[in-house]
Amino acid sequence: MLNLLDLGEVILLHGMDGAPVVYRGAPLASRFAAYLALPGSQTEVDGQHVGEAEVSWLAPRIEVHGFTRVPARFLCIDVAEQLLLDQAAHIDGLEVSRLYRTGNITSSPTMVADIGGMVRRALDIHDRDPEAFAQAGARRAFAAQLSALLLQCHLQAAGEPAVARRGRPPLPRREIVRRGIEHIQRSLRGEAAFSDIPFAVGASQRSLNRAFDDLFGMAPHQFYLVERLHAIRSALRSAAPGDTVTGICSRFGVWDLGRMAALYARMFGLQPAQELSRALAGKPSATGATSTRRR
């Protein structure tokens, strides 16, 4: 059994192996892969058990061997090499050469569960709406978010939980917030992934949370969601004939339209489609130009 979703820079696979099964394979050139064994599985990759706190990391063109003792459910993520290298270049403390080592990386059950949950949500969304990832903006946003989580696993496994380098003086909280807001604005323009905010700011997630809570009474992620909803609302209100909710939202990296619509309705009291309809109601259609009667 196999469910596959090809989004270009990332390819998602969710499946079940029979048992006992021995298999071998390697990622293609210029592609990395991450294998997650789901609960109840008894899977080994190159003789190493893949547990709930581990990701089996596969470097390009390096063959691995696997063994499944019982019918095993799994997730596999295939990622473009260039995408990971571009993001890794901005992560302080991450040794890029580690990406080219095939083997298990030990992270935490929570982080591995977050990766699995994101993959399953994307597959579910695509099953409900095959056009959900038709927009390039939605695909790019999802790929950036997922690859950032994978790189965080590498950073955690390398024993670098803190973003700031040792010996660097701590940043004042207002400077943390200033840099955080600057990164959030860049992510809204599609120039960066929001999940890279600790690396971009140069502060730990705890310091970020405290600084934003002191000034705004909310975490950076909540601040980002509010800013994105307001940006989407502004774009919907200034929409032109022919614009769609999906197209507008994809500009801001939205790939889960259902979740976004629920947040939008909770904040503004109406659905994004209603906002767009109101905005277009008084505008001339792109195909129906206003004509004047000759006298």
Side-chain angles (χ1 to χ4, degrees):
M1 293 170 52
L2 184 65
N3 186 8
L4 184 147
L5 175 57
D6 188 343
L7 300 177
E9 287 186 305
V10 298
I11 301 172
L12 310 177
L13 298 94
H14 177 208
M16 175 177 284
D17 285 330
V21 171
V22 175
Y23 54 91
R24 68 177 184 174
L28 299 174
S30 302
R31 308 288 295 195
F32 290 96
Y35 178 95
L36 285 69
L38 298 178
S41 302
Q42 295 180 25
T43 302
E44 295 179 0
V45 176
D46 278 354
Q48 295 180 302
H49 175 71
V50 185
E52 64 176 6
E54 293 166 319
V55 174
S56 189
W57 186 254
L58 287 68
R61 302 182 71 175
I62 296 180
E63 186 175 86
V64 296
H65 296 77
F67 177 59
T68 298
R69 300 178 184 277
V70 299
R73 296 184 304 118
F74 67 88
L75 294 172
C76 191
I77 306 163
D78 182 286
V79 190
E81 181 180 31
Q82 195 59 52
L83 171 64
L84 279 178
L85 294 181
D86 288 345
Q87 289 195 319
H90 300 289
I91 299 179
D92 192 13
L94 178 62
E95 184 183 347
V96 174
S97 63
R98 293 179 63 91
L99 300 179
Y100 291 90
R101 301 174 191 169
T102 287
N104 283 3
I105 52 176
T106 302
S107 180
S108 69
T110 299
M111 185 168 289
V112 174
D114 286 345
I115 293 171
M118 188 174 179
V119 171
R120 287 193 293 269
R121 195 161 79 249
L123 291 168
D124 289 343
I125 289 169
H126 183 260
D127 284 343
R128 294 195 303 268
D129 179 11
E131 298 301 315
F133 289 98
Q135 298 288 334
R139 294 194 300 274
R140 283 196 303 268
F142 177 82
Q145 292 171 32
L146 185 56
S147 57
L149 281 178
L150 291 171
L151 290 173
Q152 286 178 39
C153 280
H154 277 280
L155 193 65
Q156 192 175 70
E160 297 282 350
V163 175
R165 287 179 178 171
R166 187 175 300 174
R168 179 184 295 173
L171 292 171
R173 290 191 177 180
R174 287 192 176 275
E175 177 63 14
I176 289 175
V177 169
R178 186 193 69 76
R179 293 187 186 184
I181 292 175
E182 183 178 273
H183 182 78
I184 286 170
Q185 293 303 319
R186 289 183 62 235
S187 67
L188 290 175
R189 295 193 298 269
E191 299 169 3
F194 169 77
S195 52
D196 287 344
I197 188 170
F199 311 122
V201 172
S204 68
Q205 189 64 55
R206 179 178 295 181
S207 296
L208 273 166
N209 290 344
R210 286 178 177 173
F212 270 76
D213 189 62
D214 282 351
L215 268 68
F216 302 112
M218 65 180 73
H221 185 253
Q222 292 172 297
F223 185 94
Y224 166 72
L225 290 178
V226 170
E227 287 290 286
R228 186 168 70 170
L229 287 172
H230 277 285
I232 290 172
R233 189 187 198 194
S234 177
L236 288 170
R237 288 183 162 185
S238 59
D243 283 341
T244 65
V245 171
T246 300
I248 288 173
C249 290
S250 72
R251 300 176 199 166
F252 300 97
V254 174
W255 54 271
D256 190 340
L257 283 174
R259 178 173 294 188
M260 186 283 298
L263 292 172
Y264 193 99
R266 192 181 308 160
M267 176 170 286
F268 301 122
L270 74 168
Q271 293 290 330
Q274 294 173 308
E275 190 84 78
L276 180 62
S277 295
R278 288 184 180 184
L280 296 179
K283 295 182 180 178
S285 131
T287 55
T290 304
S291 60
T292 55
R293 183 180 298 175
R294 293 184 179 180
R295 297 185 179 182

